[in-house]
Amino acid sequence: MDSPYFLMALLTIIVICVIFLLRHQRTIIAKTGFICWISLSIYFIIDYIVIQTTTAPYNFLAQPMSDLGVTTCGTDTYVLSSLEICSPYHLLMNWTFTFTGIAIFVGALFLHQFWPDRRETTIATIFLFIFGLSYTIAGIFPADVNFLWHTIPSIPGMIVQVPALILIGLSIRKEMPKLSIWTFICALITTSALILMSLQPFVDFFGLLQRILYGSVYLWMVITAIALWRKKD
């Protein structure tokens, strides 16, 4: 493993350890959780920058986000890809994948205190932790470096957000009805994108659908963090 990717893995482990140490510092972890989820708003800015720097044609409507993190240039750079890929800013993209995943699971754990104390919300938080961790692993292991380690952890990360949002939406529908409706809307969007992605190759918009799949959850997290922060104050 090259040193940048070793640092990504080390950072992830350190963050998980720090989460355990800070678990009782409710004020500190609340502000940290808010900032983590709100910071997800910059993900697609970086995505756009990396796309603009590719030296091989990149079709964001059709190509997966992972192609931007491929470390080598050429065709057949990894299993299931026959397109020409060349992303000079692949390291920036993989760091972004890593930090995005960390921001997701840190926010999920630190903001859990704002949900009703029920088994459903605990399960939802676990699902969101898995959602974030899978994204981090995708950055640590680019598709052309280790396709299995890149792909297998990503599979649950494409699904678990659906039950997570549904469980949270159901749990807060009395205490926070407006936020509950917002949660169900985002759950519907990400579910629709997931279903349409499963229709490949009949629907040739995998890249766009993948961005909607994740982006709808990012948007939910950004707006939810702002709403919870305002409610707290």
Side-chain angles (χ1 to χ4, degrees):
M1 180 183 290
D2 293 341
S3 56
Y5 299 98
F6 174 79
L7 289 175
M8 291 178 200
L10 181 61
L11 175 64
T12 302
I13 294 170
I14 291 173
V15 169
I16 292 174
C17 292
V18 171
I19 288 172
F20 178 78
L21 293 173
L22 293 178
R23 66 190 185 281
H24 299 305
Q25 305 296 321
R26 295 175 67 87
T27 301
I28 294 175
I29 67 175
K31 291 183 178 179
T32 303
F34 294 142
I35 293 170
C36 282
W37 274 11
I38 293 171
S39 70
L40 295 171
S41 58
I42 68 173
Y43 174 85
F44 285 108
I45 297 175
I46 299 175
D47 183 73
Y48 175 79
I49 292 171
V50 176
I51 289 173
Q52 295 306 305
T53 63
T54 57
T55 55
Y58 179 86
N59 184 350
F60 80 95
L61 295 175
Q63 288 183 251
M65 296 153 63
S66 295
D67 283 6
L68 297 174
V70 170
T71 64
T72 53
C73 293
T75 56
D76 301 312
T77 53
Y78 65 91
V79 180
L80 303 180
S81 175
S82 59
L83 299 172
E84 183 182 4
I85 299 172
C86 194
S87 179
Y89 280 28
H90 59 267
L91 188 57
L92 171 61
M93 197 71 243
N94 288 320
W95 271 111
T96 302
F97 289 151
T98 301
F99 278 120
T100 296
I102 290 173
I104 290 170
F105 71 68
V106 169
L109 294 174
F110 283 4
L111 298 182
H112 174 74
Q113 61 182 293
F114 294 98
W115 306 132
D117 187 15
R118 299 170 185 166
R119 183 178 64 176
E120 292 81 2
T121 55
T122 299
I123 294 172
T125 297
I126 293 171
F127 281 155
L128 291 178
F129 179 86
I130 294 171
F131 179 69
L133 187 61
S134 70
Y135 218 91
T136 296
I137 294 173
I140 296 172
F141 297 98
D144 64 315
V145 173
N146 193 315
F147 182 75
L148 289 180
W149 271 99
H150 178 86
T151 304
I152 292 176
S154 297
I155 294 173
M158 297 174 70
I159 301 170
V160 293
Q161 80 281 5
V162 175
L165 294 185
I166 292 173
L167 288 171
I168 290 173
L170 290 172
S171 298
I172 65 174
R173 65 187 185 280
K174 293 182 179 179
E175 295 89 343
M176 295 174 269
K178 291 183 179 179
L179 189 57
S180 176
I181 293 172
W182 167 242
T183 302
F184 285 130
I185 290 172
C186 292
L188 177 62
I189 295 172
T190 191
T191 302
S192 299
L194 182 62
I195 293 172
L196 289 173
M197 285 173 65
S198 69
L199 298 177
Q200 294 290 335
F202 304 106
V203 180
D204 193 22
F205 293 102
F206 185 89
L208 177 61
L209 291 172
Q210 188 184 37
R211 286 171 169 82
I212 294 173
L213 176 79
Y214 293 121
S216 57
V217 185
Y218 299 166
L219 184 60
W220 174 79
M221 290 178 171
V222 171
I223 300 301
T224 297
I226 294 172
L228 292 176
W229 201 340
R230 292 180 63 182
K231 186 175 183 292
K232 175 179 177 293
D233 294 336

